[in-house]
Amino acid sequence: RLSRLGAEATWIDASAGWHRFALDARRLAETLDAAHAAPGTREDAYRRAIAAAGREPPALRRAETYADRRVYTSAVNDLENGLRLAALPFPGWRLGGGMVALEKPARRLESSEVLEWTTEAAGPFDGYFVEELMPRLTRGRYDLIAVSLTYQQQAPAAFRLAGLLAERLPGVRRVLGGPLVACWRAAGFALARRPFTLFDEVVAGTDRELAEIAEGSEGISRRAAEDAKRGQGGQDLGQSRRGLPGAHGSQLKAHSS
């Protein structure tokens, strides 16, 4: 949509990129050392997951997998175990198909306190961000990077990325938007506080907002001033008990002027 409005924009599927990075068979094999020290882990299950990750194409991308329930169930189990293995070096994190959880003690992802914690703590998304995504964004010489959120489970990765962008590319404007943000705004959640302030702008993705992003910093600054005039209120995200299904990672739109 930004391209149709005249902006030079590049779209990056960071969710797919992270899954490809995290489920690399070599990386999973290197991570298996962490499984040896973790109580209750099953090495055989992890080794099957590593073997499955090394097959091309992966089982879940082959049509015949879906013709046999046993084969399909085995492929899903291998995926789940691969994601669990990827999270093992990071105590308290648990990953699964369409799932991100913080355990011991269990913490709700919709809590603003938890989301702020994820911006500062090293987690299972850092390897992809630091080794692949950040270098790509640096090479692109973008003046604006927009993160689109669809599911609650994407939020920890999105805010961690915002923290890294603020630290490593401080001159690039950061915008947060997407369907989940639109829901938060419609529900009256207060978004003018950390960790949301790690982004220069939080938008619902309306045509007007996208047009202002396409205009560049002048359009964004104008909207920020209008938001400030209306005042900032709303409830903290931690007051919500509604969970939304989803996946890890987020989609990025990088804009060059």
Side-chain angles (χ1 to χ4, degrees), residues 43-138:
E43 183 174 339
D44 288 347
Y46 289 134
R47 292 202 179 279
R48 285 195 298 271
I50 293 170
R55 300 188 188 108
E56 287 293 341
L60 291 173
R61 293 185 183 177
R62 297 199 296 266
E64 58 268 26
T65 298
Y66 300 88
D68 187 319
R69 185 176 183 84
R70 180 187 60 80
V71 174
Y72 172 75
T73 299
S74 177
V76 171
N77 287 338
D78 288 337
L79 173 63
E80 293 280 354
N81 285 319
L83 291 169
R84 289 192 183 101
L85 178 56
L88 278 181
F90 307 97
W93 288 87
R94 184 181 177 192
L95 302 179
M99 185 272 289
V100 178
L102 293 170
E103 301 177 323
K104 298 179 182 179
R107 289 172 286 185
R108 290 164 34 213
L109 289 182
E110 64 265 36
S111 163
S112 294
E113 180 182 358
V114 168
L115 290 177
E116 182 167 359
W117 176 81
T118 63
T119 69
E120 301 172 354
F125 311 108
D126 283 32
Y128 169 66
F129 287 161
V130 172
E131 296 181 35
E132 289 198 7
L133 185 58
M134 293 296 297
R136 179 177 179 180
L137 295 175
T138 300

